[in-house]
Amino acid sequence: MNKDIKENAYKKAGVDIDAGNELVERIKPAVKSTLRDGVMGSVGGFGAFFDLQKTGYDDPVLVSATDGVGTKIAIAIETGRHDTIGIDLVAMCVNDLIVQGAEPLFFLDYFASGKLKIETAQAVIEGIARGCKESGCALIGGETAEMPGMYKEGDYDLAGFCVGAVERAHMLTGETIEDGDCLLGLASSGLHSNGFSLVRKIVKDEGLSYDAPPPFASSCDTLGEALLVPTRLYVSSLLKVMKEKPGLIKGLAHITGGGLLENIPRILPEGLDVVIEGQSWDIQPVFKWLADKGRLEKEDLYRTLNAGIGMVVICSSSEKEQVLQKLEQQGETVYVIGRVSKNDGKNKTGCTHIR
């Protein structure tokens, strides 16, 4: 009796425990579809066990990453399209792991809202499960938080947490990168999950509705759908190449916040810059439209947005054709976009020069 009174009082305060329990039951099939070697137990416990010995690593180093999807969620909420934003969440984390040579092992999510809408949360989490499954990563747990007064009606936020592993001898640190190495750019699927505060401002300034047809060339029916194309998952294609021939890829940079200008220098050894040929790849129509309507400077296109390149691969110039072909065989669209060069010694952290 006391339990019923307490739960009813909590429900009156805006938190529905029963709805949370129902959500857990609904998402169990999606979570189960992501199971892989190493997973122990099932969803719904206080924590999740993972047996690293079952993964087959000899001398593993664990790698972790956490991220969100920013204000792209606002477009998902406004359009009522919640089935792909979870893929974005996974991609933003697992793409950060793969650049260190790590295979994603398991993922946890955090879903917070003012009032839990089971159908919305289910669509989001099923999207997370799809992203995990495509990346070979188990969705082994998470948290659903209902916080009245913290979020407006219908609003929610997401965070993701991922752990991966890499053999100690195969860690990607960028230390072997040298003058003359080649930069390969892997095409993005679109905007991915960065720059959406700017994107939303441009859409608002243009007086456009997300339900309207895209004002640029697109296979999508609406502007909202075109902007919500999920972040590309690069894990399976890159892992395939790196496992076939360790050392073939010298460095990887995930092009997220900071774009091409700020992310590539993060993996460069001291004394090196990169020179990128800005005309060497096809910039997708959505970026051209944003640049035109937003009157964007080059820096905005290459720093705030990904400009059509979601991942940069650095390899020896003598092996670029081999790497390019292997990645194309895995379904990637690949461009030779530049090279590594010595800097003048004044900037120890490295720079990206776009011509």
Side-chain angles (χ1 to χ4, degrees), residues 70-298:
T71 61
K72 189 173 187 176
I73 290 176
I75 299 178
I77 292 170
E78 187 165 338
T79 61
R81 298 180 63 93
H82 308 287
D83 57 332
T84 61
I85 200 75
I87 299 174
D88 286 292
L89 184 67
V90 174
M92 294 301 287
C93 294
V94 299
N95 287 344
D96 276 354
L97 290 187
I98 194 65
V99 300
Q100 296 166 96
E103 172 190 9
L105 298 177
F106 58 86
F107 190 92
L108 299 98
D109 69 274
Y110 175 78
F111 179 97
S113 64
K115 181 174 178 57
L116 179 61
K117 293 187 176 181
I118 297 176
E119 290 76 14
T120 297
Q122 181 179 353
V124 171
I125 296 170
E126 287 177 348
I128 293 172
R130 288 199 302 277
C132 285
K133 188 174 182 179
E134 186 175 332
S135 303
C137 179
L139 177 57
I140 62 172
E143 168 69 4
T144 303
E146 196 171 14
M147 299 188 289
M150 288 291 291
Y151 297 91
K152 293 187 298 184
E153 178 73 22
D155 283 359
Y156 62 86
D157 199 8
L158 293 171
F161 313 87
C162 194
V163 173
V166 58
E167 293 287 6
R168 189 181 304 271
H170 298 157
M171 293 167 55
L172 275 186
T173 63
E175 62 185 4
T176 63
I177 296 172
E178 58 189 346
D179 181 30
D181 282 346
C182 177
L183 269 65
L184 301 177
L186 307 190
S188 67
S189 55
L191 294 168
H192 285 186
S193 299
N194 294 99
F196 273 86
S197 293
L198 173 62
V199 172
R200 290 166 50 243
K201 181 179 186 302
I202 292 172
V203 171
K204 182 179 180 181
D205 290 346
E206 289 296 302
L208 295 173
S209 165
Y210 291 118
D211 293 330
F216 46 84
S218 172
S219 60
C220 298
D221 294 329
T222 68
L223 174 60
E225 182 185 357
L227 297 179
L228 287 172
V229 170
T231 306
R232 185 165 180 79
L233 295 153
Y234 297 101
V235 170
S236 60
S237 57
L238 289 170
L239 267 181
K240 178 80 171 176
V241 175
M242 289 190 290
K243 286 186 175 183
E244 279 185 3
K245 190 174 180 181
L248 187 63
I249 291 176
K250 293 186 173 186
L252 294 167
H254 183 200
I255 308 306
T256 56
L260 290 162
L261 294 182
E262 294 187 2
N263 284 294
I264 302 174
R266 294 167 69 178
I267 62 169
L268 295 178
E270 186 175 323
L272 295 178
D273 291 344
V274 292
V275 178
I276 292 180
E277 302 295 338
Q279 305 301 314
S280 58
W281 70 92
D282 298 325
I283 295 182
Q284 299 154 16
V286 61
F287 295 103
K288 294 178 180 179
W289 179 78
L290 290 168
D292 176 41
K293 298 303 179 181
R295 298 177 177 82
L296 303 184
E297 300 290 339
K298 183 182 289 188

